[in-house]
Amino acid sequence: MSIETPTPDGVLELFRDEIVPREADLDAEYQEAILGQAGAAWDQPFPGVEVLTPQGGPTLMRVTYRRLLDGAADEGDRIRHELRQLWNDIRAAIPSDGQAVFVSPVMTHVDRPEGLEVICSTHGIVRVS
């Protein structure tokens, strides 16, 4: 089933479906883990995937997806494909026995001359079993 030109909210829903299917209430744990990490260098193993491993704390992850909506007929299908690739990149960035758990994603957008740029993001913790 092809999704034609999605709205910004539609892109957020696709992001939620592909990247954050189960949201977790991690804000307090994430904030505690990131405390004292100001200025720390995040690794960026893949575009849109950032990882920080504080000493003595859990691995933290930020995920960002940017897409310029230009009205192409197959845009929804391309977005879903890009999000699946982003999910594969997330999996490749964590240990094989790890699982990334994320908070509810957010979305913003910027009007550009060539179209509407949609930016979806989330953050979370990598849990290792």
Side-chain angles (χ1 to χ4, degrees):
M1 173 187 222
S2 174
I3 300 172
E4 303 222 353
T5 305
T7 64
D9 288 336
V11 175
L12 178 62
E13 286 305 312
L14 288 171
F15 183 83
R16 177 175 281 119
D17 289 349
E18 296 296 331
I19 307 299
V20 190
R22 290 180 311 266
E23 298 170 10
D25 184 15
L26 301 170
D27 279 328
E29 184 179 358
Y30 185 88
Q31 292 306 321
E32 182 180 322
I34 204 164
L35 197 64
Q37 300 301 315
W42 288 69
D43 292 328
Q44 188 174 15
F46 300 97
V49 179
E50 296 175 288
V51 178
L52 178 66
T53 308
Q55 203 167 30
T59 299
L60 307 176
M61 184 174 279
R62 298 187 299 208
V63 178
T64 304
Y65 174 71
R66 295 175 175 268
R67 184 67 152 88
L68 184 67
L69 299 180
D70 60 8
D74 63 344
E75 198 159 35
D77 290 334
R78 287 188 292 143
I79 290 169
R80 189 174 296 280
H81 173 75
E82 290 168 359
L83 289 169
R84 287 182 181 150
Q85 180 59 51
L86 181 58
W87 178 251
N88 290 337
D89 292 345
I90 291 167
R91 293 295 312 152
I94 62 176
S96 60
D97 61 343
Q99 178 180 7
V101 182
F102 297 108
V103 299
S104 181
V106 295
M107 180 268 304
T108 188
H109 53 84
V110 179
D111 284 320
R112 304 267 185 223
E114 54 280 348
L116 186 67
E117 182 181 23
V118 176
I119 305 157
C120 298
S121 62
T122 188
H123 62 270
I125 296 174
V126 177
R127 303 214 188 274
V128 179
S129 48

